[in-house]
Amino acid sequence: RFSSWGRRINSFSTAAAAIDEPIHPSIQVDHTQLLINGQFIDAASGRTFPTVDPRTGDVIARVAEGDLEDVNRAVAAARKAFDEGPWPKMTAYERSRIMLRFADLLEKHTEEVAKLETWDNGKPYEQAAKIEIPMVVRMFRYYAGWADKIHGLTVPADGQLHVQTLHEPYGVCGLIIPWNFPLLLYSWKVGPALACGNTVVLKTAEQTPLSAIYVSKLFHEAGLPPGVLNVVSGFGPTAGAALSSHMDVNKLSFTGSTATGKIVLALAAKSNLKPVTLELGGKSPFIVCKDADVDKAVELAHSALFFNQGQCCCAGSRTLVHESVYDEFVEKAKARALKRVVGDPFKTGIEQGPQIDNEQFKKILKYIRSGIESGATLESGGEQFGSKGYYIQPTVFSNVQDDMLIAKDEIFGPVQSISKFKDLEEVVQRANASSYGLAAGVFTQNIETANTLTRALRVGTVWINCYDIFDAAVPFGGFKMSGQGREKGIYGLSSYLQVKAVVTPLKNPAWL
């Protein structure tokens, strides 16, 4: 549960850590090739691209750059594994056992996987090792448990008929994962896709390819047949576009920005009209009501925004505070941000590491300048932290107006925007006045207020007096331009299954 991270980290130092010589992780990068049909191979073009340490900007390794030809090879392998191979023809129990063995291997190798995730992404090692990798393990065990419990229904129909429904896998699934939670989103997609009997071509984010390649090797060690899970590293306009428009991919799932999601959906529609699950951007409201415990609300709002360097699609990035507690909240939010521990994510007690890359770093600083220029009050931060790497000071704005860019756009960084409101009617209208609808937080001690806001907010998840609670069984997805479809839980299975009705006439049935 992500929210527990914010509580645990408070036991560490509250002074910003100096950015000294970065710690070199004790792990060797052995796998940088494409994984197709159970084998590590070079890209057909021979090209590679660098994956970079966001603490320094230095190259960690060069990774095979897949493109159209490689996607074609991967899809062909996945198609053969589905049509001819053992995966969909195995008993569901056998598939479940392989997934459980993989979860055990992943748990055994938590330290190595977490080091790769932190090195390639910049997230705190303790976050990766103690929270995220255990969540990935839990996700695969959860869907392994579902594998042999997927079944259709017997349907009563008018007349002498036997009607049943079958829940069948789509076939080849193209899965595109983002860079902010590479392995977590890997589990959200690969877990249900494989549990349902599909085969997979996974496209990694170009910023963070290393951990997915590594754990996919572990999956094959667990007994996964060749061709069932193929991994292509590469760029969106080439590998991503090839996968989205491929005529032999039967299902697509994408997590990323809304702008890119539109492109993916258009490519899917223009090709073979493959169904698409989309989990996209957000500008989620965090609503602090007049009866809130301000100290608790400040800590929760801080975690809701700053967790993972603010690089969360569901970050509580619009902090809406009732006017009666607004001034107190702002002062305490500022104080909390000033105490946030920023530094090398491999060091114990670090709360915030660097942003993912130079592009994101510059984008966030541009939004901060926009907030200042538009008249918001800069309470803390606002600049680069240190002189090396992509670190940004925890930044808090007050007096933020709804027409400012920092209140409307998804910044995807450590920038908290605080506004005040007068009553519930106003805050509902303002919270819903967004093209996004991914999540919302409500902090109140009044059950009637909580119930009103729960039903009024047009979002896919509402957290009451908590935030960023993620459980394998709890569905996640958005309203409006935050996406379509759901991931995790029983609802996540429906994204990877087709329903077939089978009708058979009955002669002289004993009963109907």
Side-chain angles (χ1 to χ4, degrees):
R1 294 189 175 191
F2 290 173
S3 61
S4 64
W5 176 254
R7 293 193 294 272
R8 288 214 302 267
I9 201 74
N10 290 334
S11 62
F12 300 118
S13 168
T14 55
I19 304 293
D20 301 318
E21 189 65 25
I23 295 172
H24 186 80
S26 55
I27 186 170
Q28 184 173 328
V29 179
D30 293 323
H31 302 289
T32 59
Q33 295 172 292
L34 311 179
L35 179 58
I36 298 178
N37 205 30
Q39 301 294 320
F40 284 108
I41 60 174
D42 292 330
S45 67
R47 289 194 299 270
T48 61
F49 66 93
T51 187
V52 172
D53 182 347
R55 301 174 301 162
T56 61
D58 296 337
V59 175
I60 299 172
R62 296 195 67 87
V63 179
E65 183 183 338
D67 56 22
L68 174 61
E69 186 172 347
D70 303 296
V71 169
N72 286 338
R73 291 193 291 175
V75 172
R79 171 56 57 199
K80 183 176 181 180
F82 185 80
D83 290 345
E84 304 174 19
W87 190 248
K89 298 179 182 179
M90 281 183 180
T91 67
Y93 178 60
E94 289 177 293
R95 291 201 301 270
S96 174
R97 293 183 64 192
I98 291 173
M99 294 176 69
L100 288 171
R101 285 199 295 269
F102 166 64
D104 291 343
L105 276 174
L106 182 56
E107 191 170 50
K108 179 181 177 181
H109 291 275
T110 291
E111 182 179 345
E112 300 99 297
V113 176
K115 285 178 180 177
L116 277 178
E117 195 82 329
T118 293
W119 197 8
D120 213 13
N121 175 276
K123 65 177 70 235
Y125 172 77
E126 291 176 328
Q127 173 186 320
K130 296 178 181 180
I131 297 179
E132 293 186 23
I133 305 306
M135 290 176 71
V136 173
V137 171
R138 177 70 179 95
M139 189 65 65
F140 275 101
R141 286 178 177 153
Y142 176 84
Y143 279 115
W146 264 114
D148 60 356
K149 300 169 187 67
I150 296 169
H151 55 79
L153 302 170
T154 301
V155 182
D158 294 340
Q160 296 183 9
L161 300 168
H162 173 74
V163 182
Q164 66 184 101
T165 60
L166 302 177
H167 293 181
E168 299 182 347
Y170 275 99
V172 177
C173 295
L175 310 180
I176 303 175
I177 58 175
W179 49 259
N180 57 334
F181 294 102
L183 278 186
L184 201 60
L185 272 297
Y186 177 104
S187 70
W188 288 18
K189 298 181 190 299
V190 174
L194 294 187
C196 292
N198 298 282
T199 57
V200 166
V201 177
L202 177 84
K203 190 266 181 194
T204 62
E206 56 267 30
Q207 298 90 341
T208 54
L210 297 180
S211 58
I213 298 172
Y214 182 90
V215 301
S216 296
K217 174 188 75 77
L218 296 180
F219 222 142
H220 284 81
E221 289 181 15
L224 194 71
V228 175
L229 173 60
N230 306 275
V231 181
V232 177
S233 50
F235 294 87
T238 49
L243 190 60
S244 301
S245 57
H246 203 289
M247 293 297 292
D248 211 20
V249 171
N250 306 114
K251 161 72 187 182
L252 203 62
S253 180
F254 169 82
T255 297
S257 72
T258 297
T260 304
K262 290 181 178 180
I263 297 172
V264 167
L265 190 60
L267 290 173
K270 290 177 181 177
S271 53
N272 59 347
L273 208 61
K274 61 180 73 65
V276 184
T277 300
L278 297 171
E279 197 266 281
L280 307 176
K283 193 68 176 176
S284 300
F286 185 100
I287 300 171
V288 180
C289 299
K290 61 183 178 181
D291 62 346
D293 180 320
V294 174
D295 290 333
K296 291 181 179 179
V298 164
E299 185 60 37
L300 196 61
H302 179 87
S303 174
L305 186 282
F306 290 102
F307 181 77
N308 205 54
Q309 295 69 252
Q311 297 170 155
C312 297
C313 55
C314 59
S317 52
R318 288 186 290 156
T319 308
L320 301 166
V321 183
H322 191 272
E323 60 184 5
S324 64
V325 294
Y326 180 81
D327 291 340
E328 179 186 1
F329 185 97
V330 169
E331 285 303 311
K332 290 182 175 179
K334 172 183 177 180
R336 179 64 180 92
L338 290 171
K339 292 179 181 179
R340 187 167 182 80
V341 189
V342 183
D344 187 335
F346 279 105
K347 292 184 178 179
T348 300
I350 293 299
E351 289 180 277
Q352 182 176 315
Q355 308 308 130
I356 185 65
D357 60 15
N358 190 48
E359 180 181 356
Q360 188 68 14
F361 173 78
K362 289 181 177 179
K363 172 190 170 185
I364 296 166
L365 291 177
K366 183 178 179 180
Y367 272 113
I368 291 172
R369 290 194 298 271
S370 169
I372 295 171
E373 292 167 0
S374 61
T377 302
L378 181 64
E379 299 285 351
S380 67
E383 298 178 358
Q384 180 179 6
F385 182 83
S387 59
K388 191 175 185 179
Y390 308 127
Y391 297 89
I392 292 178
Q393 295 173 344
T395 300
V396 175
F397 281 104
S398 64
N399 299 314
V400 176
Q401 305 303 311
D402 291 352
D403 60 350
M404 296 178 180
L405 290 180
I406 59 171
K408 296 190 298 183
D409 291 2
E410 185 180 36
I411 300 173
F412 228 61
V415 182
Q416 185 178 31
S417 299
I418 309 176
S419 305
K420 70 171 65 173
F421 70 91
K422 293 182 179 181
D423 54 43
L424 287 186
E425 183 178 355
E426 175 198 338
V427 80
V428 167
Q429 187 278 324
R430 291 172 60 191
N432 286 337
S434 170
S435 60
Y436 297 114
L438 192 53
V442 173
F443 207 90
T444 179
Q445 299 180 58
N446 187 311
I447 188 63
E448 293 181 1
T449 299
N451 284 337
T452 296
L453 291 175
T454 296
R455 287 157 176 76
L457 295 170
R458 299 290 299 162
V459 297
T461 300
V462 180
W463 285 295
I464 304 293
N465 295 331
C466 61
Y467 207 87
D468 279 345
I469 302 298
F470 290 92
D471 187 277
V474 178
F476 185 78
F479 287 18
K480 299 186 281 187
M481 291 177 67
S482 286
Q484 55 192 37
R486 292 294 179 268
E487 296 186 292
K488 302 195 292 119
I490 189 172
Y491 295 91
L493 293 169
S494 62
S495 296
Y496 297 97
L497 292 168
Q498 300 185 97
V499 178
K500 178 186 288 181
V502 181
V503 182
T504 306
L506 294 175
K507 290 187 177 181
N508 302 317
W511 50 268
L512 289 175

